[in-house]
Amino acid sequence: ESKTPDTRDKMVSYLVRGQQAALIETGPTNHGPLIEEGLRKLKFDLKELAYIIPTHIHIDHGGGVGWWAKKLPYVKIVIHPQGVPHMVDPTRLNASTKLAFGDGFESRYGAIQPVPPAQVHTATDGEVLPLGGRDLKIIFTPGHAPHHISIWESKTRGLFSGEALGIPMDGTDIPFPACAPPAFDLEQYLATAEQLRSLKPSIIFYSHDGIGRDAPRLIDQLGQHTRAFASILEPAVKAGENTEQMGKRLKDYIFKTTGKVTEYSPDMAVMGFALYFKRKAEKK
């Protein structure tokens, strides 16, 4: 676990070991040395690492894959096909990250570095990556982003969900939707949650703030809160409210739901939903 700058939530990377191993989620580039140090404390031999799998290419999940690819040239980087061009040449990805996080993002997170094409393993939906003693199944899970994947682990029947099943709020086990711009899609997000429910996972490995053990309840809560966010923000977008006004509405809802004053920043959710509703209106 390591904390991302400017936020209280923890970014979690997972090491899955069989006869070979996979690292799921790298966090941003500047988390690379922190993760490496953690692996060495586990007395893990980096030569065992066969795959690095970001659930998607947003900076807090896959921003560090280029750093790892350069350090471990024998490792395959498993990436959704829509994310491959942006990982091989991250020029546009760095530019869009700058728009989202500001001019100083490189000093806080580290620039996203390119992945050599020879190290890319372009994921296919439903493929199985054998580790020896346990398998990882790749599942395409759009909604949060079109290049999002989740990973099913055979031995624990656990699901590495990225942000497809939301993020637990401020140390609670209550998941709220992860609706980052620019490509959040409400219908796909809800459909993906139902798709993952059908797998009946025994445990959800979130990429922010840890694990959840009661998957049916957690997925129910995610659907409830996602629909609530939508019902709050759709009329607010139509009324022309600004980001601060809409963010306050979300924080009021979260306080009513959890009884906690949260340090959660709602700006990403507001922007994600606002762009979604604007696209929806343009299609009419």
Side-chain angles (χ1 to χ4, degrees):
E1 293 182 347
S2 50
K3 289 186 178 180
T4 49
D6 306 324
T7 180
R8 288 182 65 235
D9 72 286
K10 301 182 189 71
M11 184 68 222
V12 185
S13 299
Y14 293 96
L15 179 68
V16 184
R17 301 182 73 174
Q19 293 172 9
Q20 295 180 306
L23 179 68
I24 298 175
E25 307 287 47
T26 64
T29 295
N30 67 1
H31 284 203
L34 299 175
I35 296 169
E36 182 182 13
E37 180 184 359
L39 294 175
R40 295 198 185 282
K41 285 181 178 178
L42 293 172
K43 302 189 184 306
F44 174 72
D45 185 347
L46 291 175
K47 293 178 182 178
E48 293 179 34
L49 200 60
Y51 301 104
I52 292 175
I53 314 174
T55 59
H56 54 301
I57 65 173
H58 291 166
I59 190 169
D60 52 336
H61 295 261
V65 293
W67 184 91
W68 281 99
K70 184 177 181 180
K71 185 174 188 63
L72 305 176
Y74 53 86
V75 168
K76 290 295 184 181
I77 313 294
V78 182
I79 307 170
H80 188 289
Q82 290 195 36
V84 168
H86 302 290
M87 289 281 90
V88 171
D89 178 3
T91 303
R92 288 178 60 190
L93 188 57
N94 275 307
S96 64
T97 303
K98 183 177 178 179
L99 287 174
F101 290 94
D103 291 342
F105 93 89
E106 290 189 12
S107 63
R108 298 197 307 274
Y109 297 95
I112 301 168
Q113 300 175 17
V115 176
Q119 283 185 257
V120 170
H121 176 104
T122 302
T124 57
D125 191 17
E127 77 170 299
V128 175
L129 303 175
L131 296 181
R134 66 202 323 160
D135 294 332
L136 299 177
K137 183 177 181 179
I138 304 297
I139 306 165
F140 286 8
T141 47
H144 175 75
H147 47 77
H148 196 290
I149 64 175
S150 298
I151 303 105
W152 172 262
E153 195 277 312
S154 62
K155 196 168 185 177
T156 63
R157 295 185 57 82
L159 183 69
F160 297 89
S161 61
E163 291 182 279
L165 292 179
I167 300 172
M169 183 62 64
D170 281 4
T172 73
D173 69 344
I174 303 172
F176 285 82
C179 353
F184 171 72
D185 186 288
L186 175 61
E187 283 79 12
Q188 286 188 334
Y189 196 69
L190 292 170
T192 283
E194 291 307 308
Q195 174 193 4
L196 295 178
R197 180 203 297 276
S198 71
L199 298 175
K200 299 181 179 179
S202 62
I203 187 169
I204 298 172
F205 297 104
Y206 293 107
S207 294
H208 293 274
D209 277 333
I211 63 174
R213 295 187 181 277
D214 186 354
R217 175 182 61 84
L218 295 170
I219 295 172
D220 282 345
Q221 288 182 332
L222 176 68
Q224 172 190 336
H225 300 316
T226 302
R227 292 182 178 91
F229 273 31
S231 67
I232 291 167
L233 293 178
E234 184 169 19
V237 170
K238 289 179 179 177
E241 291 188 8
N242 61 35
T243 298
E244 184 178 353
Q245 290 170 315
M246 290 189 280
K248 184 178 184 305
R249 290 184 182 277
L250 291 188
K251 293 187 84 166
D252 287 346
Y253 171 78
I254 291 168
F255 176 73
K256 182 179 177 181
T257 302
T258 66
K260 291 178 177 284
V261 176
T262 175
E263 293 186 24
Y264 164 73
S265 173
D267 290 356
M268 286 290 183
V270 168
M271 288 189 289
F273 266 106
L275 285 173
Y276 164 77
F277 286 126
K278 287 175 182 176
R279 288 196 305 269
K280 186 177 178 181
E282 289 168 359
K283 289 180 182 178
K284 291 184 178 179

mmCIF file of all heavy atoms in Angstrom, residues 16-64:
data_model
loop_
_atom_site.group_PDB
_atom_site.id
_atom_site.type_symbol
_atom_site.label_atom_id
_atom_site.label_comp_id
_atom_site.label_asym_id
_atom_site.label_seq_id
_atom_site.Cartn_x
_atom_site.Cartn_y
_atom_site.Cartn_z
ATOM 1 N N VAL A 16 0.710 -11.615 -6.920
ATOM 2 C CA VAL A 16 0.041 -12.914 -6.983
ATOM 3 C C VAL A 16 1.089 -13.945 -7.385
ATOM 4 O O VAL A 16 1.684 -13.840 -8.466
ATOM 5 C CB VAL A 16 -1.120 -12.901 -7.997
ATOM 6 C CG1 VAL A 16 -1.862 -14.235 -7.967
ATOM 7 C CG2 VAL A 16 -2.071 -11.741 -7.721
ATOM 8 N N ARG A 17 1.287 -14.960 -6.525
ATOM 9 C CA ARG A 17 2.391 -15.889 -6.736
ATOM 10 C C ARG A 17 1.905 -17.304 -6.977
ATOM 11 O O ARG A 17 1.051 -17.807 -6.268
ATOM 12 C CB ARG A 17 3.326 -15.884 -5.520
ATOM 13 C CG ARG A 17 3.926 -14.549 -5.213
ATOM 14 C CD ARG A 17 4.872 -14.589 -4.034
ATOM 15 N NE ARG A 17 6.140 -15.254 -4.359
ATOM 16 C CZ ARG A 17 7.164 -15.318 -3.532
ATOM 17 N NH1 ARG A 17 7.071 -14.796 -2.315
ATOM 18 N NH2 ARG A 17 8.277 -15.920 -3.895
ATOM 19 N N GLY A 18 2.437 -17.901 -8.014
ATOM 20 C CA GLY A 18 2.354 -19.330 -8.239
ATOM 21 C C GLY A 18 3.782 -19.782 -8.482
ATOM 22 O O GLY A 18 4.705 -19.338 -7.799
ATOM 23 N N GLN A 19 3.990 -20.640 -9.476
ATOM 24 C CA GLN A 19 5.361 -20.940 -9.864
ATOM 25 C C GLN A 19 6.003 -19.714 -10.516
ATOM 26 O O GLN A 19 7.217 -19.534 -10.483
ATOM 27 C CB GLN A 19 5.373 -22.141 -10.812
ATOM 28 C CG GLN A 19 4.941 -23.436 -10.137
ATOM 29 C CD GLN A 19 4.764 -24.575 -11.126
ATOM 30 O OE1 GLN A 19 5.115 -24.448 -12.293
ATOM 31 N NE2 GLN A 19 4.209 -25.686 -10.660
ATOM 32 N N GLN A 20 5.155 -18.900 -11.145
ATOM 33 C CA GLN A 20 5.534 -17.573 -11.599
ATOM 34 C C GLN A 20 4.678 -16.559 -10.838
ATOM 35 O O GLN A 20 3.798 -16.950 -10.063
ATOM 36 C CB GLN A 20 5.314 -17.433 -13.107
ATOM 37 C CG GLN A 20 6.196 -18.333 -13.962
ATOM 38 C CD GLN A 20 5.914 -18.133 -15.439
ATOM 39 O OE1 GLN A 20 4.782 -18.238 -15.883
ATOM 40 N NE2 GLN A 20 6.956 -17.832 -16.190
ATOM 41 N N ALA A 21 4.919 -15.286 -11.081
ATOM 42 C CA ALA A 21 4.182 -14.275 -10.329
ATOM 43 C C ALA A 21 3.705 -13.162 -11.250
ATOM 44 O O ALA A 21 4.229 -12.957 -12.353
ATOM 45 C CB ALA A 21 5.059 -13.696 -9.224
ATOM 46 N N ALA A 22 2.677 -12.443 -10.767
ATOM 47 C CA ALA A 22 2.154 -11.274 -11.467
ATOM 48 C C ALA A 22 2.003 -10.137 -10.467
ATOM 49 O O ALA A 22 1.617 -10.348 -9.314
ATOM 50 C CB ALA A 22 0.809 -11.585 -12.117
ATOM 51 N N LEU A 23 2.311 -8.938 -10.922
ATOM 52 C CA LEU A 23 2.083 -7.727 -10.149
ATOM 53 C C LEU A 23 0.885 -7.012 -10.742
ATOM 54 O O LEU A 23 0.897 -6.658 -11.931
ATOM 55 C CB LEU A 23 3.311 -6.819 -10.183
ATOM 56 C CG LEU A 23 3.193 -5.494 -9.426
ATOM 57 C CD1 LEU A 23 3.119 -5.741 -7.917
ATOM 58 C CD2 LEU A 23 4.380 -4.576 -9.764
ATOM 59 N N ILE A 24 -0.163 -6.846 -9.943
ATOM 60 C CA ILE A 24 -1.377 -6.180 -10.406
ATOM 61 C C ILE A 24 -1.406 -4.772 -9.825
ATOM 62 O O ILE A 24 -1.399 -4.597 -8.607
ATOM 63 C CB ILE A 24 -2.629 -6.975 -9.992
ATOM 64 C CG1 ILE A 24 -2.607 -8.354 -10.651
ATOM 65 C CG2 ILE A 24 -3.903 -6.217 -10.361
ATOM 66 C CD1 ILE A 24 -3.733 -9.264 -10.223
ATOM 67 N N GLU A 25 -1.415 -3.784 -10.714
ATOM 68 C CA GLU A 25 -1.378 -2.351 -10.419
ATOM 69 C C GLU A 25 0.037 -1.917 -10.032
ATOM 70 O O GLU A 25 0.664 -2.511 -9.147
ATOM 71 C CB GLU A 25 -2.359 -1.933 -9.308
ATOM 72 C CG GLU A 25 -3.790 -2.368 -9.516
ATOM 73 C CD GLU A 25 -4.543 -1.601 -10.595
ATOM 74 O OE1 GLU A 25 -3.973 -1.425 -11.689
ATOM 75 O OE2 GLU A 25 -5.708 -1.232 -10.367
ATOM 76 N N THR A 26 0.512 -0.873 -10.688
ATOM 77 C CA THR A 26 1.831 -0.328 -10.360
ATOM 78 C C THR A 26 1.740 1.009 -9.644
ATOM 79 O O THR A 26 2.745 1.468 -9.078
ATOM 80 C CB THR A 26 2.666 -0.094 -11.634
ATOM 81 O OG1 THR A 26 2.026 0.900 -12.449
ATOM 82 C CG2 THR A 26 2.839 -1.384 -12.421
ATOM 83 N N GLY A 27 0.551 1.638 -9.661
ATOM 84 C CA GLY A 27 0.517 3.020 -9.212
ATOM 85 C C GLY A 27 1.297 3.883 -10.187
ATOM 86 O O GLY A 27 1.720 3.431 -11.264
ATOM 87 N N PRO A 28 1.535 5.155 -9.839
ATOM 88 C CA PRO A 28 2.299 6.033 -10.726
ATOM 89 C C PRO A 28 3.782 5.698 -10.705
ATOM 90 O O PRO A 28 4.248 4.877 -9.920
ATOM 91 C CB PRO A 28 2.027 7.425 -10.140
ATOM 92 C CG PRO A 28 1.720 7.178 -8.701
ATOM 93 C CD PRO A 28 1.028 5.854 -8.646
ATOM 94 N N THR A 29 4.521 6.366 -11.564
ATOM 95 C CA THR A 29 5.947 6.088 -11.716
ATOM 96 C C THR A 29 6.708 6.208 -10.395
ATOM 97 O O THR A 29 7.556 5.368 -10.074
ATOM 98 C CB THR A 29 6.552 7.040 -12.765
ATOM 99 O OG1 THR A 29 5.958 6.752 -14.039
ATOM 100 C CG2 THR A 29 8.056 6.877 -12.869
ATOM 101 N N ASN A 30 6.392 7.226 -9.601
ATOM 102 C CA ASN A 30 7.172 7.413 -8.383
ATOM 103 C C ASN A 30 6.857 6.404 -7.289
ATOM 104 O O ASN A 30 7.485 6.409 -6.240
ATOM 105 C CB ASN A 30 7.039 8.851 -7.846
ATOM 106 C CG ASN A 30 5.648 9.188 -7.351
ATOM 107 O OD1 ASN A 30 4.745 8.352 -7.369
ATOM 108 N ND2 ASN A 30 5.457 10.426 -6.918
ATOM 109 N N HIS A 31 5.910 5.501 -7.523
ATOM 110 C CA HIS A 31 5.665 4.403 -6.592
ATOM 111 C C HIS A 31 6.551 3.197 -6.891
ATOM 112 O O HIS A 31 6.630 2.278 -6.073
ATOM 113 C CB HIS A 31 4.200 3.969 -6.646
ATOM 114 C CG HIS A 31 3.269 4.897 -5.941
ATOM 115 N ND1 HIS A 31 2.040 4.506 -5.470
ATOM 116 C CD2 HIS A 31 3.371 6.205 -5.631
ATOM 117 C CE1 HIS A 31 1.437 5.524 -4.907
ATOM 118 N NE2 HIS A 31 2.222 6.571 -4.992
ATOM 119 N N GLY A 32 7.202 3.186 -8.065
ATOM 120 C CA GLY A 32 8.012 2.037 -8.437
ATOM 121 C C GLY A 32 9.037 1.657 -7.383
ATOM 122 O O GLY A 32 9.091 0.493 -6.941
ATOM 123 N N PRO A 33 9.875 2.591 -6.925
ATOM 124 C CA PRO A 33 10.867 2.230 -5.905
ATOM 125 C C PRO A 33 10.236 1.772 -4.590
ATOM 126 O O PRO A 33 10.794 0.914 -3.900
ATOM 127 C CB PRO A 33 11.653 3.540 -5.714
ATOM 128 C CG PRO A 33 11.473 4.278 -6.999
ATOM 129 C CD PRO A 33 10.086 3.947 -7.458
ATOM 130 N N LEU A 34 9.068 2.331 -4.241
ATOM 131 C CA LEU A 34 8.393 1.913 -3.011
ATOM 132 C C LEU A 34 7.931 0.463 -3.109
ATOM 133 O O LEU A 34 8.082 -0.322 -2.163
ATOM 134 C CB LEU A 34 7.187 2.817 -2.741
ATOM 135 C CG LEU A 34 7.470 4.309 -2.543
ATOM 136 C CD1 LEU A 34 6.159 5.072 -2.410
ATOM 137 C CD2 LEU A 34 8.345 4.525 -1.321
ATOM 138 N N ILE A 35 7.365 0.112 -4.263
ATOM 139 C CA ILE A 35 6.900 -1.263 -4.461
ATOM 140 C C ILE A 35 8.088 -2.221 -4.512
ATOM 141 O O ILE A 35 8.063 -3.304 -3.913
ATOM 142 C CB ILE A 35 6.055 -1.358 -5.742
ATOM 143 C CG1 ILE A 35 4.779 -0.521 -5.595
ATOM 144 C CG2 ILE A 35 5.696 -2.813 -6.049
ATOM 145 C CD1 ILE A 35 4.016 -0.340 -6.893
ATOM 146 N N GLU A 36 9.142 -1.815 -5.201
ATOM 147 C CA GLU A 36 10.344 -2.655 -5.275
ATOM 148 C C GLU A 36 10.893 -2.928 -3.876
ATOM 149 O O GLU A 36 11.256 -4.063 -3.544
ATOM 150 C CB GLU A 36 11.403 -1.991 -6.144
ATOM 151 C CG GLU A 36 12.652 -2.837 -6.300
ATOM 152 C CD GLU A 36 13.727 -2.158 -7.114
ATOM 153 O OE1 GLU A 36 13.621 -0.935 -7.357
ATOM 154 O OE2 GLU A 36 14.695 -2.845 -7.495
ATOM 155 N N GLU A 37 10.932 -1.906 -3.049
ATOM 156 C CA GLU A 37 11.417 -2.080 -1.680
ATOM 157 C C GLU A 37 10.527 -3.059 -0.910
ATOM 158 O O GLU A 37 11.015 -3.929 -0.175
ATOM 159 C CB GLU A 37 11.443 -0.737 -0.963
ATOM 160 C CG GLU A 37 11.940 -0.807 0.476
ATOM 161 C CD GLU A 37 11.859 0.527 1.195
ATOM 162 O OE1 GLU A 37 11.428 1.518 0.574
ATOM 163 O OE2 GLU A 37 12.213 0.558 2.390
ATOM 164 N N GLY A 38 9.200 -2.937 -1.101
ATOM 165 C CA GLY A 38 8.283 -3.858 -0.437
ATOM 166 C C GLY A 38 8.489 -5.293 -0.883
ATOM 167 O O GLY A 38 8.455 -6.226 -0.060
ATOM 168 N N LEU A 39 8.725 -5.494 -2.177
ATOM 169 C CA LEU A 39 8.954 -6.847 -2.693
ATOM 170 C C LEU A 39 10.247 -7.435 -2.123
ATOM 171 O O LEU A 39 10.313 -8.622 -1.794
ATOM 172 C CB LEU A 39 8.997 -6.824 -4.218
ATOM 173 C CG LEU A 39 7.686 -6.466 -4.923
ATOM 174 C CD1 LEU A 39 7.910 -6.364 -6.432
ATOM 175 C CD2 LEU A 39 6.593 -7.490 -4.620
ATOM 176 N N ARG A 40 11.252 -6.606 -1.989
ATOM 177 C CA ARG A 40 12.523 -7.105 -1.444
ATOM 178 C C ARG A 40 12.383 -7.459 0.035
ATOM 179 O O ARG A 40 12.989 -8.413 0.518
ATOM 180 C CB ARG A 40 13.625 -6.074 -1.668
ATOM 181 C CG ARG A 40 13.940 -5.859 -3.143
ATOM 182 C CD ARG A 40 15.280 -5.198 -3.361
ATOM 183 N NE ARG A 40 15.502 -4.893 -4.768
ATOM 184 C CZ ARG A 40 15.867 -5.781 -5.696
ATOM 185 N NH1 ARG A 40 16.039 -7.046 -5.356
ATOM 186 N NH2 ARG A 40 16.049 -5.413 -6.945
ATOM 187 N N LYS A 41 11.558 -6.701 0.748
ATOM 188 C CA LYS A 41 11.307 -7.035 2.158
ATOM 189 C C LYS A 41 10.597 -8.381 2.275
ATOM 190 O O LYS A 41 10.752 -9.084 3.281
ATOM 191 C CB LYS A 41 10.479 -5.938 2.809
ATOM 192 C CG LYS A 41 11.267 -4.675 3.118
ATOM 193 C CD LYS A 41 10.398 -3.626 3.790
ATOM 194 C CE LYS A 41 11.205 -2.377 4.135
ATOM 195 N NZ LYS A 41 10.348 -1.332 4.760
ATOM 196 N N LEU A 42 9.824 -8.733 1.262
ATOM 197 C CA LEU A 42 9.173 -10.046 1.220
ATOM 198 C C LEU A 42 10.129 -11.141 0.762
ATOM 199 O O LEU A 42 9.735 -12.299 0.652
ATOM 200 C CB LEU A 42 7.967 -10.010 0.281
ATOM 201 C CG LEU A 42 6.779 -9.140 0.713
ATOM 202 C CD1 LEU A 42 5.753 -9.069 -0.423
ATOM 203 C CD2 LEU A 42 6.131 -9.704 1.972
ATOM 204 N N LYS A 43 11.375 -10.738 0.466
ATOM 205 C CA LYS A 43 12.388 -11.656 -0.063
ATOM 206 C C LYS A 43 11.922 -12.274 -1.383
ATOM 207 O O LYS A 43 12.193 -13.444 -1.687
ATOM 208 C CB LYS A 43 12.759 -12.743 0.958
ATOM 209 C CG LYS A 43 13.288 -12.166 2.266
ATOM 210 C CD LYS A 43 13.852 -13.236 3.162
ATOM 211 C CE LYS A 43 14.302 -12.674 4.512
ATOM 212 N NZ LYS A 43 15.249 -11.552 4.385
ATOM 213 N N PHE A 44 11.218 -11.471 -2.146
ATOM 214 C CA PHE A 44 10.730 -11.903 -3.457
ATOM 215 C C PHE A 44 11.801 -11.645 -4.507
ATOM 216 O O PHE A 44 12.363 -10.552 -4.592
ATOM 217 C CB PHE A 44 9.450 -11.146 -3.818
ATOM 218 C CG PHE A 44 8.952 -11.425 -5.208
ATOM 219 C CD1 PHE A 44 8.376 -12.655 -5.520
ATOM 220 C CD2 PHE A 44 9.067 -10.462 -6.209
ATOM 221 C CE1 PHE A 44 7.920 -12.916 -6.805
ATOM 222 C CE2 PHE A 44 8.612 -10.716 -7.484
ATOM 223 C CZ PHE A 44 8.036 -11.947 -7.789
ATOM 224 N N ASP A 45 12.086 -12.680 -5.292
ATOM 225 C CA ASP A 45 13.054 -12.571 -6.382
ATOM 226 C C ASP A 45 12.337 -11.996 -7.603
ATOM 227 O O ASP A 45 11.412 -12.617 -8.131
ATOM 228 C CB ASP A 45 13.639 -13.947 -6.692
ATOM 229 C CG ASP A 45 14.747 -13.901 -7.736
ATOM 230 O OD1 ASP A 45 14.907 -12.859 -8.402
ATOM 231 O OD2 ASP A 45 15.441 -14.921 -7.899
ATOM 232 N N LEU A 46 12.748 -10.821 -8.040
ATOM 233 C CA LEU A 46 12.082 -10.171 -9.166
ATOM 234 C C LEU A 46 12.119 -11.009 -10.443
ATOM 235 O O LEU A 46 11.311 -10.803 -11.350
ATOM 236 C CB LEU A 46 12.717 -8.798 -9.425
ATOM 237 C CG LEU A 46 12.462 -7.723 -8.361
ATOM 238 C CD1 LEU A 46 13.257 -6.461 -8.683
ATOM 239 C CD2 LEU A 46 10.983 -7.400 -8.267
ATOM 240 N N LYS A 47 13.033 -11.985 -10.522
ATOM 241 C CA LYS A 47 13.091 -12.849 -11.704
ATOM 242 C C LYS A 47 11.871 -13.761 -11.810
ATOM 243 O O LYS A 47 11.615 -14.339 -12.858
ATOM 244 C CB LYS A 47 14.373 -13.691 -11.678
ATOM 245 C CG LYS A 47 15.638 -12.862 -11.848
ATOM 246 C CD LYS A 47 16.885 -13.721 -11.771
ATOM 247 C CE LYS A 47 18.142 -12.865 -11.905
ATOM 248 N NZ LYS A 47 19.380 -13.682 -11.784
ATOM 249 N N GLU A 48 11.140 -13.916 -10.703
ATOM 250 C CA GLU A 48 9.912 -14.723 -10.742
ATOM 251 C C GLU A 48 8.761 -13.996 -11.427
ATOM 252 O O GLU A 48 7.763 -14.608 -11.804
ATOM 253 C CB GLU A 48 9.458 -15.076 -9.315
ATOM 254 C CG GLU A 48 10.369 -16.006 -8.557
ATOM 255 C CD GLU A 48 9.831 -16.271 -7.165
ATOM 256 O OE1 GLU A 48 8.590 -16.322 -6.992
ATOM 257 O OE2 GLU A 48 10.634 -16.411 -6.230
ATOM 258 N N LEU A 49 8.894 -12.686 -11.581
ATOM 259 C CA LEU A 49 7.793 -11.890 -12.097
ATOM 260 C C LEU A 49 7.647 -12.109 -13.595
ATOM 261 O O LEU A 49 8.568 -11.838 -14.369
ATOM 262 C CB LEU A 49 8.040 -10.410 -11.790
ATOM 263 C CG LEU A 49 6.840 -9.477 -11.808
ATOM 264 C CD1 LEU A 49 5.786 -9.903 -10.790
ATOM 265 C CD2 LEU A 49 7.289 -8.051 -11.516
ATOM 266 N N ALA A 50 6.479 -12.633 -14.006
ATOM 267 C CA ALA A 50 6.222 -12.897 -15.425
ATOM 268 C C ALA A 50 5.348 -11.823 -16.056
ATOM 269 O O ALA A 50 5.499 -11.515 -17.243
ATOM 270 C CB ALA A 50 5.547 -14.265 -15.582
ATOM 271 N N TYR A 51 4.408 -11.270 -15.280
ATOM 272 C CA TYR A 51 3.440 -10.315 -15.814
ATOM 273 C C TYR A 51 3.290 -9.113 -14.884
ATOM 274 O O TYR A 51 3.341 -9.255 -13.660
ATOM 275 C CB TYR A 51 2.053 -10.955 -15.956
ATOM 276 C CG TYR A 51 1.998 -12.165 -16.849
ATOM 277 C CD1 TYR A 51 1.908 -13.447 -16.307
ATOM 278 C CD2 TYR A 51 2.028 -12.049 -18.237
ATOM 279 C CE1 TYR A 51 1.838 -14.573 -17.119
ATOM 280 C CE2 TYR A 51 1.967 -13.163 -19.064
ATOM 281 C CZ TYR A 51 1.877 -14.419 -18.489
ATOM 282 O OH TYR A 51 1.813 -15.535 -19.296
ATOM 283 N N ILE A 52 3.087 -7.969 -15.482
ATOM 284 C CA ILE A 52 2.615 -6.790 -14.785
ATOM 285 C C ILE A 52 1.297 -6.396 -15.433
ATOM 286 O O ILE A 52 1.218 -6.261 -16.657
ATOM 287 C CB ILE A 52 3.639 -5.647 -14.837
ATOM 288 C CG1 ILE A 52 4.869 -6.020 -14.009
ATOM 289 C CG2 ILE A 52 3.033 -4.338 -14.354
ATOM 290 C CD1 ILE A 52 5.999 -5.020 -14.089
ATOM 291 N N ILE A 53 0.262 -6.236 -14.602
ATOM 292 C CA ILE A 53 -1.090 -6.041 -15.137
ATOM 293 C C ILE A 53 -1.728 -4.811 -14.491
ATOM 294 O O ILE A 53 -2.230 -4.887 -13.362
ATOM 295 C CB ILE A 53 -1.987 -7.276 -14.881
ATOM 296 C CG1 ILE A 53 -1.249 -8.578 -15.224
ATOM 297 C CG2 ILE A 53 -3.283 -7.154 -15.689
ATOM 298 C CD1 ILE A 53 -2.026 -9.835 -14.854
ATOM 299 N N PRO A 54 -1.736 -3.677 -15.184
ATOM 300 C CA PRO A 54 -2.551 -2.565 -14.704
ATOM 301 C C PRO A 54 -4.004 -2.806 -15.090
ATOM 302 O O PRO A 54 -4.282 -3.292 -16.199
ATOM 303 C CB PRO A 54 -1.977 -1.358 -15.456
ATOM 304 C CG PRO A 54 -1.465 -1.947 -16.744
ATOM 305 C CD PRO A 54 -1.003 -3.351 -16.419
ATOM 306 N N THR A 55 -4.932 -2.477 -14.204
ATOM 307 C CA THR A 55 -6.343 -2.665 -14.575
ATOM 308 C C THR A 55 -6.775 -1.659 -15.629
ATOM 309 O O THR A 55 -7.716 -1.928 -16.382
ATOM 310 C CB THR A 55 -7.271 -2.553 -13.358
ATOM 311 O OG1 THR A 55 -7.112 -1.256 -12.752
ATOM 312 C CG2 THR A 55 -6.983 -3.639 -12.338
ATOM 313 N N HIS A 56 -6.095 -0.512 -15.677
ATOM 314 C CA HIS A 56 -6.335 0.464 -16.741
ATOM 315 C C HIS A 56 -5.172 1.441 -16.744
ATOM 316 O O HIS A 56 -4.279 1.350 -15.895
ATOM 317 C CB HIS A 56 -7.688 1.176 -16.594
ATOM 318 C CG HIS A 56 -7.968 1.829 -15.287
ATOM 319 N ND1 HIS A 56 -7.981 1.159 -14.075
ATOM 320 C CD2 HIS A 56 -8.256 3.121 -14.971
ATOM 321 C CE1 HIS A 56 -8.287 1.987 -13.103
ATOM 322 N NE2 HIS A 56 -8.439 3.189 -13.612
ATOM 323 N N ILE A 57 -5.158 2.353 -17.702
ATOM 324 C CA ILE A 57 -3.955 3.144 -17.932
ATOM 325 C C ILE A 57 -3.986 4.496 -17.237
ATOM 326 O O ILE A 57 -3.068 5.301 -17.446
ATOM 327 C CB ILE A 57 -3.671 3.313 -19.440
ATOM 328 C CG1 ILE A 57 -4.777 4.124 -20.128
ATOM 329 C CG2 ILE A 57 -3.480 1.946 -20.091
ATOM 330 C CD1 ILE A 57 -4.464 4.472 -21.583
ATOM 331 N N HIS A 58 -4.996 4.779 -16.405
ATOM 332 C CA HIS A 58 -4.956 6.010 -15.621
ATOM 333 C C HIS A 58 -3.708 6.007 -14.744
ATOM 334 O O HIS A 58 -3.238 4.951 -14.296
ATOM 335 C CB HIS A 58 -6.207 6.141 -14.770
ATOM 336 C CG HIS A 58 -7.447 6.399 -15.577
ATOM 337 N ND1 HIS A 58 -8.713 6.276 -15.061
ATOM 338 C CD2 HIS A 58 -7.605 6.789 -16.874
ATOM 339 C CE1 HIS A 58 -9.606 6.561 -16.000
ATOM 340 N NE2 HIS A 58 -8.961 6.872 -17.103
ATOM 341 N N ILE A 59 -3.183 7.183 -14.454
ATOM 342 C CA ILE A 59 -1.859 7.309 -13.850
ATOM 343 C C ILE A 59 -1.747 6.606 -12.502
ATOM 344 O O ILE A 59 -0.696 6.060 -12.158
ATOM 345 C CB ILE A 59 -1.466 8.793 -13.721
ATOM 346 C CG1 ILE A 59 0.010 8.911 -13.315
ATOM 347 C CG2 ILE A 59 -2.392 9.543 -12.768
ATOM 348 C CD1 ILE A 59 0.574 10.306 -13.414
ATOM 349 N N ASP A 60 -2.854 6.569 -11.719
ATOM 350 C CA ASP A 60 -2.762 5.960 -10.387
ATOM 351 C C ASP A 60 -2.848 4.444 -10.432
ATOM 352 O O ASP A 60 -2.721 3.784 -9.401
ATOM 353 C CB ASP A 60 -3.824 6.536 -9.440
ATOM 354 C CG ASP A 60 -5.231 6.477 -9.997
ATOM 355 O OD1 ASP A 60 -5.393 6.425 -11.234
ATOM 356 O OD2 ASP A 60 -6.184 6.489 -9.200
ATOM 357 N N HIS A 61 -3.025 3.877 -11.622
ATOM 358 C CA HIS A 61 -3.094 2.417 -11.766
ATOM 359 C C HIS A 61 -1.986 1.879 -12.675
ATOM 360 O O HIS A 61 -1.331 0.900 -12.326
ATOM 361 C CB HIS A 61 -4.463 2.009 -12.310
ATOM 362 C CG HIS A 61 -5.573 2.315 -11.373
ATOM 363 N ND1 HIS A 61 -6.138 1.372 -10.549
ATOM 364 C CD2 HIS A 61 -6.200 3.483 -11.082
ATOM 365 C CE1 HIS A 61 -7.071 1.934 -9.803
ATOM 366 N NE2 HIS A 61 -7.119 3.222 -10.106
ATOM 367 N N GLY A 62 -1.802 2.514 -13.824
ATOM 368 C CA GLY A 62 -0.813 2.017 -14.775
ATOM 369 C C GLY A 62 0.275 3.001 -15.119
ATOM 370 O O GLY A 62 1.078 2.747 -16.029
ATOM 371 N N GLY A 63 0.333 4.124 -14.384
ATOM 372 C CA GLY A 63 1.323 5.143 -14.723
ATOM 373 C C GLY A 63 2.760 4.675 -14.597
ATOM 374 O O GLY A 63 3.653 5.211 -15.242
ATOM 375 N N GLY A 64 2.994 3.649 -13.789
ATOM 376 C CA GLY A 64 4.357 3.190 -13.544
ATOM 377 C C GLY A 64 4.810 2.021 -14.400
ATOM 378 O O GLY A 64 5.933 1.533 -14.211
#
